[in-house]
């Protein structure tokens, strides 16, 4: 992997701040985009499976979306400072891997999540969206996804 630049990290951090300002709305958008592509994934999320559509004002849904975006932002920071992703500890990575295996996650789901994440960031950034910003989020997401897949035994 090429070096993750200071500018890319700054782009991720600034768009993360824009995302955080509107988590309730943007988390609904994020999961709506996922379910449009993979409706059956609704059963994978405890906070979605008992609802028709996407529940609004659902703190668990919002916290889960925030965690995914924050992990990706943190991956960007680590790529910049260390040149690699180093999750908090191996237990975290093992846990993520086991949960993804248990839920039946397949490779296609990682692609759908990435697309939904990028579209959500695009909405958060509005007219400040660019291909450069898309790339800045894509690199850490891809690295994080690769780490989770490895923990899944792929």
């Amino acid at each position: 992997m090429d070096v993750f630049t200071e500018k890319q990290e700054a782009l991720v951090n600034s768009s993360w701040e824009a995302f955080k300002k509107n988590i309730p709305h943007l988390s609904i958008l994020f999961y709506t985009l996922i379910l449009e592509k993979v409706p059956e994934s609704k059963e994978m999320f405890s906070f979605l499976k008992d609802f028709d559509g996407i529940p609004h004002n659902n703190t668990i849904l919002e916290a889960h979306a925030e965690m995914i975006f924050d992990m990706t932002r943190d991956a960007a920071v680590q790529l910049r400072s260390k040149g690699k992703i180093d999750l908090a500890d191996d237990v975290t990575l093992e846990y993520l891997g086991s949960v993804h295996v248990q839920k039946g996650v397949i490779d296609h789901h990682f692609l759908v999540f990435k697309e939904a994440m990028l579209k959500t960031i695009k909405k958060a950034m509005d007219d400040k969206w660019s291909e450069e910003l898309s790339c800045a989020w894509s690199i850490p997401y891809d690295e994080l996804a690769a780490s989770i897949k490895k923990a899944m035994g792929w």
Side-chain angles (χ1 to χ4, degrees), residues 35-92:
L35 294 182
E36 283 174 359
K37 295 278 186 177
V38 188
E40 65 275 13
S41 68
K42 184 176 190 172
E43 296 303 312
M44 296 177 172
F45 302 103
S46 61
F47 51 85
L48 292 178
K49 65 181 179 181
D50 296 329
F51 293 92
D52 290 330
I54 306 289
H56 292 243
N57 301 315
N58 184 308
T59 56
I60 298 170
L61 175 140
E62 293 169 13
H64 192 262
E66 183 176 5
M67 177 194 67
I68 292 167
F69 282 77
D70 187 40
M71 283 183 71
T72 306
R73 184 208 54 84
D74 190 51
V77 171
Q78 290 181 27
L79 284 173
R80 174 74 183 123
S81 66
K82 301 177 184 178
K84 65 177 184 157
I85 293 175
D86 192 17
L87 294 180
D89 54 44
D90 289 337
V91 175
T92 301

Side-chain angles (χ1 to χ4, degrees), residues 8-10 12 20 23-24 30 54 64 71-72 75 78-80 82 88 91 94 97 105 109 113 121 123 134 144 153:
Q8 287 171 314
E9 181 185 7
V12 169
K20 284 192 340 184
I23 288 175
F30 178 62
I54 306 289
H64 192 262
M71 283 183 71
T72 306
Q78 290 181 27
L79 284 173
R80 174 74 183 123
K82 301 177 184 178
V91 175
E94 288 173 13
V105 173
H109 296 147
F113 257 65
I121 292 296
K123 179 74 171 176
S134 176
L144 183 58

